[in-house]
Amino acid sequence: NAVRTGREDISAKVANRQRMNGKVLTVFLLALLLQSCTRPLSSESFVKKSDAVSGVFEFPLDLSDTTGVYDIYLFTRVDRSAALGLDSRIPQKIDIRWVSPAGKIWDESVYMDMGDFRGARQLYRKGLVPAEDGQWTLKIRPEEVPSSFRGIGVICEWNGTR
């Protein structure tokens, strides 16, 4: 039976602490790795007015989870200098076309505020459950586009499964 000195006790404590720090670091790195493997909860894209084709703003939407529930928001940006004279709170008609992965088409018209220089974010669809899984296309055509209009964007938030 060996007798331990104070120096050996300190060395044992340092070794235990290093093992504990190594375990904590391993757990932390595993947590980061698992988080990076999860699906993003939202995606956002913006199309500038100059990039619209014949006045149509086109957005790809990954709606791969047919058991998923999605909220879709639309947002706009208007030039700050021109926004001062623009009554942007008057709703503008916009035509929306949904194109499914299989090529099926749904059309509708809605009204939305064009916003001011800070933009306008508005809920377009809440609790959307896609009829088909895959890459959808959302095509948006505003009826009138003010000269101060910079573009329009789409935010798609995944809210779990039904």
Side-chain angles (χ1 to χ4, degrees):
N1 293 5
V3 176
R4 295 183 109 180
T5 64
R7 191 173 282 162
E8 289 171 339
D9 285 339
I10 292 172
S11 295
K13 287 180 182 178
V14 169
N16 283 338
R17 183 169 288 159
Q18 287 174 341
R19 273 188 244 116
M20 182 60 100
N21 287 342
K23 289 178 183 178
V24 169
L25 180 61
T26 301
V27 169
F28 177 73
L29 291 175
L30 282 173
L32 283 177
L33 180 64
L34 288 174
Q35 182 180 359
S36 68
C37 294
T38 61
R39 81 180 338 267
L41 296 179
S42 70
S43 63
E44 178 178 322
S45 57
F46 183 81
V47 176
K48 296 185 293 186
K49 179 170 76 171
S50 60
D51 293 336
V53 178
S54 299
V56 176
F57 298 79
E58 193 168 308
F59 302 91
L61 292 177
D62 179 12
L63 303 178
S64 299
D65 185 357
T66 56
T67 64
V69 177
Y70 300 88
D71 292 343
I72 310 291
Y73 294 86
L74 304 178
F75 66 97
T76 60
R77 293 287 185 266
V78 177
D79 285 332
R80 183 182 185 110
S81 59
L84 298 175
L86 175 68
D87 188 0
S88 59
R89 296 300 171 201
I90 298 174
Q92 299 288 326
K93 180 182 175 189
I94 58 173
D95 296 322
I96 298 180
R97 172 169 283 181
W98 286 88
V99 182
S100 77
K104 295 177 186 171
I105 294 173
W106 290 268
D107 289 320
E108 68 178 325
S109 296
V110 298
Y111 289 84
M112 84 176 278
D113 295 340
M114 286 293 134
D116 57 19
F117 65 91
R118 291 179 299 273
R121 174 184 159 155
Q122 298 167 62
L123 180 62
Y124 163 59
R125 286 280 169 255
K126 181 169 184 61
L128 178 86
V129 177
E132 298 174 24
D133 69 324
Q135 187 77 23
W136 286 69
T137 303
L138 187 62
K139 297 180 179 187
I140 300 174
R141 178 192 297 270
E143 190 172 80
E144 291 183 41
V145 178
S147 60
S148 60
F149 186 71
R150 286 190 177 178
I152 192 164
V154 173
I155 300 169
C156 179
E157 293 181 351
W158 183 76
N159 290 319
T161 57
R162 46 186 164 138

mmCIF file of all heavy atoms in Angstrom, residues 1 20 50 69 75-76 85 92 97 119-120 127-128 137 140 147 149 154 158:
data_model
loop_
_atom_site.group_PDB
_atom_site.id
_atom_site.type_symbol
_atom_site.label_atom_id
_atom_site.label_comp_id
_atom_site.label_asym_id
_atom_site.label_seq_id
_atom_site.Cartn_x
_atom_site.Cartn_y
_atom_site.Cartn_z
ATOM 1 N N ASN A 1 0.851 -1.180 0.000
ATOM 2 C CA ASN A 1 0.000 0.000 0.000
ATOM 3 C C ASN A 1 0.887 1.230 0.000
ATOM 4 O O ASN A 1 1.578 1.497 0.966
ATOM 5 C CB ASN A 1 -0.889 0.012 1.217
ATOM 6 C CG ASN A 1 -1.924 -1.113 1.193
ATOM 7 O OD1 ASN A 1 -1.895 -1.948 0.288
ATOM 8 N ND2 ASN A 1 -2.789 -1.133 2.172
ATOM 9 N N MET A 20 -12.541 15.465 -17.322
ATOM 10 C CA MET A 20 -13.881 16.064 -17.261
ATOM 11 C C MET A 20 -14.029 17.135 -18.347
ATOM 12 O O MET A 20 -15.048 17.181 -19.034
ATOM 13 C CB MET A 20 -14.122 16.673 -15.882
ATOM 14 C CG MET A 20 -15.497 17.265 -15.739
ATOM 15 S SD MET A 20 -16.779 16.040 -15.987
ATOM 16 C CE MET A 20 -17.174 15.699 -14.325
ATOM 17 N N SER A 50 -35.552 44.668 -60.694
ATOM 18 C CA SER A 50 -34.798 44.523 -61.947
ATOM 19 C C SER A 50 -34.599 43.061 -62.344
ATOM 20 O O SER A 50 -34.317 42.769 -63.508
ATOM 21 C CB SER A 50 -33.440 45.217 -61.833
ATOM 22 O OG SER A 50 -32.689 44.646 -60.770
ATOM 23 N N VAL A 69 -46.159 21.653 -41.501
ATOM 24 C CA VAL A 69 -47.061 22.795 -41.532
ATOM 25 C C VAL A 69 -46.189 24.033 -41.733
ATOM 26 O O VAL A 69 -45.208 24.236 -41.013
ATOM 27 C CB VAL A 69 -47.857 22.901 -40.218
ATOM 28 C CG1 VAL A 69 -48.746 24.125 -40.218
ATOM 29 C CG2 VAL A 69 -48.679 21.634 -39.997
ATOM 30 N N PHE A 75 -42.913 40.002 -48.125
ATOM 31 C CA PHE A 75 -42.410 41.296 -47.665
ATOM 32 C C PHE A 75 -41.910 42.106 -48.851
ATOM 33 O O PHE A 75 -41.571 41.557 -49.893
ATOM 34 C CB PHE A 75 -41.324 41.150 -46.585
ATOM 35 C CG PHE A 75 -40.039 40.507 -47.046
ATOM 36 C CD1 PHE A 75 -38.962 41.301 -47.423
ATOM 37 C CD2 PHE A 75 -39.899 39.128 -47.092
ATOM 38 C CE1 PHE A 75 -37.770 40.719 -47.832
ATOM 39 C CE2 PHE A 75 -38.725 38.538 -47.494
ATOM 40 C CZ PHE A 75 -37.648 39.327 -47.873
ATOM 41 N N THR A 76 -41.909 43.421 -48.687
ATOM 42 C CA THR A 76 -41.506 44.331 -49.759
ATOM 43 C C THR A 76 -40.498 45.344 -49.229
ATOM 44 O O THR A 76 -40.346 45.518 -48.020
ATOM 45 C CB THR A 76 -42.720 45.107 -50.313
ATOM 46 O OG1 THR A 76 -43.303 45.858 -49.239
ATOM 47 C CG2 THR A 76 -43.748 44.183 -50.918
ATOM 48 N N GLY A 85 -43.411 60.297 -50.265
ATOM 49 C CA GLY A 85 -44.608 60.742 -50.957
ATOM 50 C C GLY A 85 -45.546 59.613 -51.326
ATOM 51 O O GLY A 85 -46.599 59.838 -51.897
ATOM 52 N N GLN A 92 -52.359 46.853 -52.552
ATOM 53 C CA GLN A 92 -52.200 46.654 -53.989
ATOM 54 C C GLN A 92 -52.566 45.216 -54.315
ATOM 55 O O GLN A 92 -52.236 44.297 -53.571
ATOM 56 C CB GLN A 92 -50.742 46.906 -54.409
ATOM 57 C CG GLN A 92 -50.228 48.287 -54.141
ATOM 58 C CD GLN A 92 -50.832 49.301 -55.089
ATOM 59 O OE1 GLN A 92 -51.103 49.001 -56.253
ATOM 60 N NE2 GLN A 92 -51.062 50.492 -54.589
ATOM 61 N N ARG A 97 -49.321 32.679 -58.342
ATOM 62 C CA ARG A 97 -49.451 31.371 -58.982
ATOM 63 C C ARG A 97 -48.547 30.388 -58.254
ATOM 64 O O ARG A 97 -47.354 30.613 -58.108
ATOM 65 C CB ARG A 97 -49.068 31.451 -60.453
ATOM 66 C CG ARG A 97 -48.989 30.069 -61.114
ATOM 67 C CD ARG A 97 -48.870 30.161 -62.599
ATOM 68 N NE ARG A 97 -50.210 30.472 -63.104
ATOM 69 C CZ ARG A 97 -50.502 30.620 -64.384
ATOM 70 N NH1 ARG A 97 -49.565 30.495 -65.290
ATOM 71 N NH2 ARG A 97 -51.731 30.891 -64.757
ATOM 72 N N GLY A 119 -39.993 48.520 -45.155
ATOM 73 C CA GLY A 119 -40.580 47.295 -45.681
ATOM 74 C C GLY A 119 -41.881 46.947 -44.994
ATOM 75 O O GLY A 119 -42.304 47.592 -44.040
ATOM 76 N N ALA A 120 -42.521 45.944 -45.525
ATOM 77 C CA ALA A 120 -43.764 45.451 -44.953
ATOM 78 C C ALA A 120 -43.717 43.931 -44.998
ATOM 79 O O ALA A 120 -43.467 43.347 -46.042
ATOM 80 C CB ALA A 120 -44.959 45.967 -45.756
ATOM 81 N N GLY A 127 -50.380 27.874 -41.675
ATOM 82 C CA GLY A 127 -50.747 26.478 -41.558
ATOM 83 C C GLY A 127 -50.868 25.750 -42.889
ATOM 84 O O GLY A 127 -51.639 24.816 -43.018
ATOM 85 N N LEU A 128 -50.080 26.162 -43.857
ATOM 86 C CA LEU A 128 -50.109 25.535 -45.180
ATOM 87 C C LEU A 128 -49.546 24.118 -45.109
ATOM 88 O O LEU A 128 -48.473 23.904 -44.555
ATOM 89 C CB LEU A 128 -49.284 26.368 -46.164
ATOM 90 C CG LEU A 128 -49.181 25.806 -47.563
ATOM 91 C CD1 LEU A 128 -50.382 26.253 -48.384
ATOM 92 C CD2 LEU A 128 -47.915 26.277 -48.234
ATOM 93 N N THR A 137 -42.907 26.220 -56.892
ATOM 94 C CA THR A 137 -42.545 27.536 -57.403
ATOM 95 C C THR A 137 -43.693 28.488 -57.104
ATOM 96 O O THR A 137 -44.851 28.176 -57.391
ATOM 97 C CB THR A 137 -42.276 27.501 -58.921
ATOM 98 O OG1 THR A 137 -41.241 26.552 -59.171
ATOM 99 C CG2 THR A 137 -41.837 28.864 -59.427
ATOM 100 N N ILE A 140 -45.182 35.605 -58.314
ATOM 101 C CA ILE A 140 -45.935 36.748 -57.810
ATOM 102 C C ILE A 140 -45.853 37.881 -58.831
ATOM 103 O O ILE A 140 -44.763 38.264 -59.271
ATOM 104 C CB ILE A 140 -45.370 37.219 -56.450
ATOM 105 C CG1 ILE A 140 -45.472 36.072 -55.434
ATOM 106 C CG2 ILE A 140 -46.094 38.461 -55.970
ATOM 107 C CD1 ILE A 140 -44.812 36.367 -54.112
ATOM 108 N N SER A 147 -42.661 53.248 -58.902
ATOM 109 C CA SER A 147 -41.263 53.442 -59.323
ATOM 110 C C SER A 147 -40.305 53.263 -58.151
ATOM 111 O O SER A 147 -39.149 52.881 -58.334
ATOM 112 C CB SER A 147 -41.084 54.822 -59.945
ATOM 113 O OG SER A 147 -41.420 55.829 -59.004
ATOM 114 N N PHE A 149 -40.532 51.046 -55.842
ATOM 115 C CA PHE A 149 -40.570 49.656 -55.399
ATOM 116 C C PHE A 149 -39.236 48.989 -55.702
ATOM 117 O O PHE A 149 -38.774 48.982 -56.835
ATOM 118 C CB PHE A 149 -41.713 48.955 -56.132
ATOM 119 C CG PHE A 149 -41.988 47.552 -55.698
ATOM 120 C CD1 PHE A 149 -42.557 47.284 -54.466
ATOM 121 C CD2 PHE A 149 -41.705 46.489 -56.529
ATOM 122 C CE1 PHE A 149 -42.842 45.988 -54.079
ATOM 123 C CE2 PHE A 149 -41.982 45.191 -56.152
ATOM 124 C CZ PHE A 149 -42.547 44.942 -54.923
ATOM 125 N N VAL A 154 -40.078 36.434 -50.001
ATOM 126 C CA VAL A 154 -40.912 35.389 -49.412
ATOM 127 C C VAL A 154 -40.149 34.764 -48.245
ATOM 128 O O VAL A 154 -38.962 34.467 -48.361
ATOM 129 C CB VAL A 154 -41.265 34.298 -50.454
ATOM 130 C CG1 VAL A 154 -41.981 33.131 -49.799
ATOM 131 C CG2 VAL A 154 -42.108 34.883 -51.568
ATOM 132 N N TRP A 158 -41.167 26.718 -41.284
ATOM 133 C CA TRP A 158 -41.625 25.366 -41.000
ATOM 134 C C TRP A 158 -42.025 25.322 -39.535
ATOM 135 O O TRP A 158 -41.254 25.698 -38.655
ATOM 136 C CB TRP A 158 -40.521 24.369 -41.296
ATOM 137 C CG TRP A 158 -40.884 22.947 -41.109
ATOM 138 C CD1 TRP A 158 -41.637 22.178 -41.939
ATOM 139 C CD2 TRP A 158 -40.508 22.093 -40.012
ATOM 140 N NE1 TRP A 158 -41.739 20.909 -41.445
ATOM 141 C CE2 TRP A 158 -41.062 20.819 -40.264
ATOM 142 C CE3 TRP A 158 -39.768 22.275 -38.871
ATOM 143 C CZ2 TRP A 158 -40.900 19.752 -39.390
ATOM 144 C CZ3 TRP A 158 -39.607 21.215 -38.001
ATOM 145 C CH2 TRP A 158 -40.166 19.957 -38.272
#
